């Protein structure tokens, strides 16, 4: 017989285990009975009548019960083996009880009245034990109990007791006990069946629960761990590192160029690209840790091998190199890149959210400074984070109406030195921090989302300012990605414009490629809402974002602004001139206006006019002005134009 450690799965196995657990008590009871009978008959019957039977009988029975039952009390055999063993034990029970009762009846030939009473009591006790202690062997226990009754009747005959009364008493008692025993067995069977059904249902629920847990913690698109699982595993890694005094590094990977592929080739190709990239990342990072998808085109991984800054830099650079290799999908050769940000516990972070935020900040800086870079969160970043936290806290406590104001820089038609628009530039004079650079507070406001609170305040100020200027002069107002990805925020801005009394045709909203890429689909819908309100739309910092040119034709644009970074080397760089010339030609082909930013010298202006660019913004015409200075500037331009008109008359 082969043991199995499997749990009880059937009624036969439950019967087997119950008998295996009770067989020591059965054997002890049998020993007590036989020794008691032998002790009482030691002075009445010949020694061989009891002395030879006891060791032979008890030794054989003990070996039998141990071999078939007791040794399997923990590791229950299979259902078939249990059923077979129970049949053998049932047969042996009837034979063994018959042998024991026969021996007791045989000894009664030498018994006196006291010994006969003992024999009757022993047989009665055996009968009760058989009916209740061995009720799991239903038929065998009842037959064995009847043998006990027969033995009691034989002994009663020898003691000349009232046979009829005893027969009625025993018959009724046995029948009653047998009925109770059978009912008890049926209850046991129902209990076992119910328990097995509950265990089966519990096992089914457990399987479903495990599957639900797997689904809840797996990214269905890429079949790797999702955001929930990432943060759970990161928490466990940090806990272990705290206990063992180790370190944990957390890396975030952002794919550069994925949105362009997704928008150009469709979501099906984009999904396959993400799935293929997940497999590639798993292969690259197999020696470092598990890969997770945080959402969109962002992935993450946990490094517990204690790599230092140089080691993390090396891992990140290897990732960038591997990700930049072509991926072939549907016979298409796709090329994308990635940027990587790292942070380390406990050196730069003390909790899951801190290490995530710092890795994300490092990633943000990697993308901001050129993309396809590895950035490890540093002391400098820590200072920047603290400064940003201070700026955000101070902004949230600021009197926005009193502390924030606008300056205005003209966008000039260089053909006749006429200002067409004034770009509104936010400034902050804090009583706590002093005059704060826009490069500092705008970045902090965008990162925290506070920019959406600030934008309506500044727009109201801009609309009040424009009322003082000539009708032909408009304003250009910058919107952040947070402003244009939520319909309710865009509708609120439209409401401010409509209540101001300013004609929407005098208002131009500037958006950047980076802002559009936060959520292109939602941004497109909201820009169309703005366009329908009657305003104009300008694409700012053109050429510095990562969107494809194909996105431009989807936007309801009126104007493109060439970033000033292309103008600095315009006099010395043929490449810069070609880029500006190409953008200018593209604008004309698309029937769009083209504004060139960052113009500071006459030489730059002459080159741009030669290329065909005449809408100019930069220090050459004016630095950003306070609201009170704008009238004088506009009047100066008007006087200059009037003076130029009179020159021919004077000359004549």
């Amino acid at each position: 017989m082969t043991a199995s450690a499997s749990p009880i799965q059937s009624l036969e196995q439950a019967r087997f285990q119950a008998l295996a657990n009770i067989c020591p008590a059965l054997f002890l009871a049998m020993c007590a009975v036989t020794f008691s009978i032998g002790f009482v008959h030691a002075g009445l019957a010949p020694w061989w009548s009891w002395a030879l039977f006891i060791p032979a009988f008890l030794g054989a029975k003990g070996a039998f019960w141990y071999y078939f039952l007791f040794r399997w009390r923990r590791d229950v055999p299979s259902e078939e083996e249990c059923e077979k063993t129970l049949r053998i034990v049932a047969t042996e029970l009837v034979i063994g009880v018959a042998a024991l009762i026969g021996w007791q009846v045989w000894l009664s030939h030498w018994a006196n009245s006291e010994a006969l009473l003992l024999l009757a009591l022993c047989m009665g006790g055996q009968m009760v034990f058989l009916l209740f202690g061995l009720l799991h062997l239903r038929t065998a226990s009842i037959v064995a109990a009847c043998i006990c009754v027969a033995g009691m009747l034989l002994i009663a005959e020898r003691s000349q007791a009232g046979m009829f009364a005893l027969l009625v008493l025993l018959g009724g008692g046995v029948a009653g006990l047998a009925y109770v025993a059978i009912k008890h067995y049926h209850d046991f069977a129902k209990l076992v069946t119910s328990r097995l059904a509950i265990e089966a249902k519990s096992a089914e629920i457990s399987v479903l629960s495990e599957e639900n847990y797997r689904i809840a913690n797996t990214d269905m698109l890429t079949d790797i761990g999702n955001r929930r699982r990432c943060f759970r595993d990161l928490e466990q890694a940090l806990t272990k590192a705290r206990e063992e005094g180790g370190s944990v590094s957390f890396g975030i990977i952002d794919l550069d160029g994925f949105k362009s592929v997704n928008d150009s080739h469709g979501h099906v190709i984009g999904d396959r690209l993400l799935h293929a990239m997940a497999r590639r990342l798993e292969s690259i990072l197999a020696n470092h840790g598990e890969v997770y998808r945080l959402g969109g085109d962002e992935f993450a991984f946990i490094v517990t091998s204690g790599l230092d800054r140089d080691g993390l830099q090396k891992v990140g650079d290897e990732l960038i190199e591997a990700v930049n290799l072509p991926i072939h999908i549907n016979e298409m050769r796709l090329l994308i890149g990635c940027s990587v940000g790292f942070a380390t516990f406990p050196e730069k972070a003390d909790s899951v959210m801190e290490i995530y935020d710092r890795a994300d900040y490092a990633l943000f800086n990697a993308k901001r400074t050129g993309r396809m870079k590895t950035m490890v969160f540093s002391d400098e970043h820590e200072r920047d984070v603290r400064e940003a936290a201070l700026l955000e806290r101070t902004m949230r406590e600021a009197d926005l109406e009193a502390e924030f104001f606008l300056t205005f820089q003209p966008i000039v038609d260089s053909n006749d030195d006429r200002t067409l628009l004034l770009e509104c530039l936010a400034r902050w004079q804090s009583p706590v921090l002093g005059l704060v650079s826009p490069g500092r507070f705008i970045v902090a406001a965008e990162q925290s989302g506070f920019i959406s609170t600030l934008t309506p305040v500044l727009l109201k100020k801009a609309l009040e300012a424009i009322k003082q200027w000539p009708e032909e002069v408009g304003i250009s107002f910058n919107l952040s990605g947070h402003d244009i990805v939520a319909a309710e925020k865009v509708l609120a801005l439209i409401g401010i414009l409509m209540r101001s009394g300013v004609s929407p045709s005098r208002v131009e909203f500037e958006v950047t490629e980076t802002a559009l890429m936060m959520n292109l689909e939602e941004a497109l819908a909201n820009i169309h809402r703005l366009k329908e309100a009657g305003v104009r739309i300008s694409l700012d910092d053109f050429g510095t974002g990562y969107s494809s040119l194909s996105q431009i034709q989807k936007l309801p644009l009126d104007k493109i602004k060439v970033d000033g970074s292309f103008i600095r080397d315009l006099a010395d760089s043929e490449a810069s001139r070609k880029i500006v010339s190409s953008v200018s030609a593209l604008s004309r082909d698309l029937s769009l206006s083209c504004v060139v930013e960052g113009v500071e010298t006459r030489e730059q202006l002459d080159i741009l006019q030669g290329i065909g660019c005449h809408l100019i913004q930069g220090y050459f015409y004016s630095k950003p002005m306070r609201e009170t200075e704008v009238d004088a500037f506009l009047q100066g331009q008007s006087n200059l134009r009037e003076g130029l008109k009179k020159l021919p008359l004077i000359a004549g």
Side-chain angles (χ1 to χ4, degrees):
M1 189 183 300
T2 303
S4 170
S6 61
I8 293 174
Q9 297 178 339
S10 69
L11 178 60
E12 297 303 314
Q13 288 177 308
R15 291 173 60 200
F16 183 96
Q17 188 179 53
L19 285 171
N21 289 330
I22 205 173
C23 72
L26 173 64
F27 184 70
L28 287 175
M30 191 164 54
C31 289
V33 168
T34 51
F35 277 116
S36 297
I37 293 173
F39 177 78
V40 170
H41 288 81
L44 301 175
W47 68 271
W48 48 266
S49 64
W50 53 270
L52 297 179
F53 179 82
I54 292 175
F57 181 78
L58 292 180
K61 295 302 109 183
F64 176 88
W65 287 96
Y66 177 78
Y67 179 78
F68 278 98
L69 288 176
F70 186 64
R71 66 192 181 115
W72 303 114
R73 65 192 183 281
R74 291 187 179 88
D75 295 326
V76 179
S78 66
E79 182 179 1
E80 293 76 13
E81 291 174 322
C82 286
E83 189 175 359
K84 177 182 176 182
T85 301
L86 289 174
R87 285 198 300 268
I88 295 173
V89 171
T91 303
E92 195 279 342
L93 177 66
V94 174
I95 295 173
V97 170
L100 183 61
I101 296 300
W103 174 65
Q104 294 175 22
V105 172
W106 181 55
L107 280 181
S108 68
H109 289 86
W110 293 284
N112 56 24
S113 58
E114 290 82 2
L116 288 173
L117 178 61
L118 173 66
L119 290 172
L121 289 173
C122 287
M123 290 180 186
Q126 292 169 83
M127 177 189 71
V128 174
F129 189 89
L130 288 168
L131 287 173
F132 288 97
L134 298 177
L135 61 89
H136 305 293
L137 299 173
R138 293 162 294 174
T139 304
S141 64
I142 292 174
V143 171
C146 290
I147 293 174
C148 292
V149 171
M152 292 174 68
L153 291 174
L154 290 173
I155 290 174
E157 184 183 12
R158 290 183 182 282
S159 64
Q160 299 178 353
M163 289 295 295
F164 179 77
L166 183 62
L167 183 62
V168 172
L169 177 64
L170 289 176
V174 170
L177 291 174
Y179 175 79
V180 172
I182 291 173
K183 288 292 290 180
H184 186 53
Y185 172 78
H186 286 318
D187 292 341
F188 168 80
K190 289 180 180 179
L191 180 64
V192 171
T193 303
S194 298
R195 190 191 73 185
L196 292 176
I198 291 171
E199 288 177 352
K201 181 60 70 174
S202 177
E204 181 181 344
I205 293 172
S206 178
V207 170
L208 291 174
S209 178
E210 290 177 3
E211 179 63 14
N212 289 337
Y213 180 82
R214 186 192 69 79
I215 292 172
N217 289 275
T218 301
D219 179 63
M220 293 296 102
L221 177 61
T222 58
D223 293 326
I224 62 177
N226 60 11
R227 190 182 190 90
R228 179 186 290 106
R229 183 173 173 184
C230 176
F231 283 109
R232 184 205 67 185
D233 291 354
L234 182 57
E235 182 66 62
Q236 292 175 352
L238 295 188
T239 300
K240 184 177 180 182
R242 288 190 189 96
E243 293 171 351
E244 300 178 358
S247 65
V248 175
S249 296
F250 183 65
I252 303 179
I253 306 164
D254 186 82
L255 302 182
D256 297 331
F258 169 75
K259 288 184 173 66
S260 297
V261 173
N262 197 50
D263 294 335
S264 301
H265 300 288
H267 293 300
V268 173
I269 297 300
D271 290 349
R272 292 181 183 177
L273 176 59
L274 288 175
H275 189 276
M277 188 54 65
R279 304 285 79 76
R280 180 176 289 185
L281 292 175
E282 281 185 315
S283 175
I284 299 167
L285 296 168
N287 296 327
H288 297 288
E290 192 169 352
V291 180
Y292 311 87
R293 182 177 176 227
L294 299 180
D297 58 356
E298 268 196 352
F299 296 83
F301 61 101
I302 303 168
V303 179
T304 57
S305 53
L307 293 178
D308 59 11
R309 187 181 187 85
D310 292 338
L312 293 175
Q313 188 75 39
K314 183 179 178 182
V315 170
D317 293 344
E318 290 174 354
L319 267 172
I320 292 171
E321 182 179 350
V323 168
N324 198 37
L325 295 175
I327 290 182
H328 296 275
I329 298 176
N330 285 6
E331 300 181 353
M332 287 187 294
R333 184 175 182 270
L334 302 176
L335 272 174
I336 60 173
C338 77
S339 302
V340 185
F342 282 105
T344 301
F345 165 92
E347 181 184 354
K348 297 300 179 187
D350 191 48
S351 66
V352 168
M353 289 314 300
E354 278 190 5
I355 197 171
Y356 171 79
D357 287 342
R358 280 154 173 71
D360 191 53
Y361 187 86
L363 175 66
F364 170 78
N365 276 271
K367 295 172 74 69
R368 187 177 64 175
T369 56
R371 300 178 182 271
M372 294 187 65
K373 284 186 177 181
T374 299
M375 193 77 73
V376 182
F377 191 85
S378 64
D379 291 337
E380 182 181 353
H381 294 147
E382 181 69 34
R383 288 192 296 272
D384 292 342
V385 168
R386 294 186 183 212
E387 180 182 274
L390 174 62
L391 288 173
E392 180 186 350
R393 185 170 62 253
T394 308
M395 271 192 292
R396 293 188 184 278
E397 296 171 354
D399 182 343
L400 303 186
E401 291 285 349
E403 297 179 28
F404 285 87
F405 62 95
L406 294 171
T407 59
F408 302 88
Q409 187 175 36
I411 298 173
V412 178
D413 183 344
S414 61
N415 289 337
D416 58 2
D417 290 336
R418 183 187 301 274
T419 295
L420 303 180
L421 295 165
L422 288 157
E423 182 176 0
C424 307
L425 302 171
R427 298 292 184 264
W428 181 22
Q429 181 70 51
S430 169
V432 177
L433 303 174
L435 185 62
V436 184
S437 164
R440 292 170 56 201
F441 79 78
I442 290 178
V443 170
E446 287 187 337
Q447 287 180 341
S448 65
F450 187 74
I451 192 72
S452 295
T453 302
L454 188 57
T455 297
V457 175
L458 296 176
L459 179 59
K460 290 176 184 177
K461 289 178 177 287
L463 293 171
E464 283 300 313
I466 196 177
K467 295 176 182 179
Q468 309 170 39
W469 305 326
E471 287 289 330
E472 65 270 16
V473 177
I475 57 170
S476 180
F477 190 87
N478 292 278
L479 297 180
S480 76
H482 294 279
D483 296 322
I484 61 173
V485 295
E488 64 275 11
K489 294 176 182 178
V490 169
L491 292 174
L493 296 178
I494 293 174
I496 291 172
L497 174 59
M498 295 306 174
R499 289 190 296 271
S500 70
V502 175
S503 172
S505 62
R506 297 181 67 190
V507 178
E508 185 173 283
F509 284 118
E510 293 187 19
V511 296
T512 64
E513 293 178 83
T514 305
L516 291 172
M517 290 303 105
M518 287 181 63
N519 187 333
L520 182 60
E521 186 175 343
E522 190 69 23
L524 283 173
N526 288 323
I527 288 174
H528 278 285
R529 289 188 176 97
L530 289 170
K531 187 70 175 177
E532 290 167 1
V535 303
R536 288 172 292 177
I537 304 295
S538 173
L539 184 63
D540 194 14
D541 297 339
F542 180 75
T544 62
Y546 210 77
S547 64
S548 66
L549 294 177
S550 63
Q551 301 306 326
I552 296 176
Q553 63 184 355
K554 297 181 181 180
L555 297 169
L557 295 177
D558 298 284
K559 187 176 296 178
I560 292 176
K561 297 186 75 173
V562 180
D563 188 68
S565 60
F566 297 108
I567 309 305
R568 296 190 190 101
D569 302 324
L570 194 64
D572 303 319
S573 172
E574 184 179 355
S576 294
R577 290 194 294 272
K578 287 182 177 179
I579 290 173
V580 176
S581 178
S582 297
V583 174
S584 178
L586 176 66
S587 301
R588 287 192 296 272
D589 291 341
L590 295 174
S591 300
L592 302 176
S593 300
C594 179
V595 176
V596 181
E597 298 179 297
V599 179
E600 298 183 357
T601 67
R602 167 58 69 176
E603 183 180 14
Q604 291 172 343
L605 178 60
D606 291 341
I607 294 172
L608 291 170
Q609 287 182 325
I611 291 173
C613 300
H614 62 92
L615 297 183
I616 306 298
Q617 182 178 5
Y619 283 7
F620 177 78
Y621 281 106
S622 174
K623 292 182 179 181
M625 301 173 285
R626 297 295 292 261
E627 182 179 340
T628 54
E629 302 171 321
V630 172
D631 281 331
F633 174 80
L634 295 176
Q635 188 60 47
Q637 281 188 327
S638 177
N639 293 339
L640 179 61
R641 288 195 301 274
E642 290 298 324
L644 291 175
K645 289 179 181 178
K646 295 177 180 179
L647 282 178
L649 296 176
I650 296 173

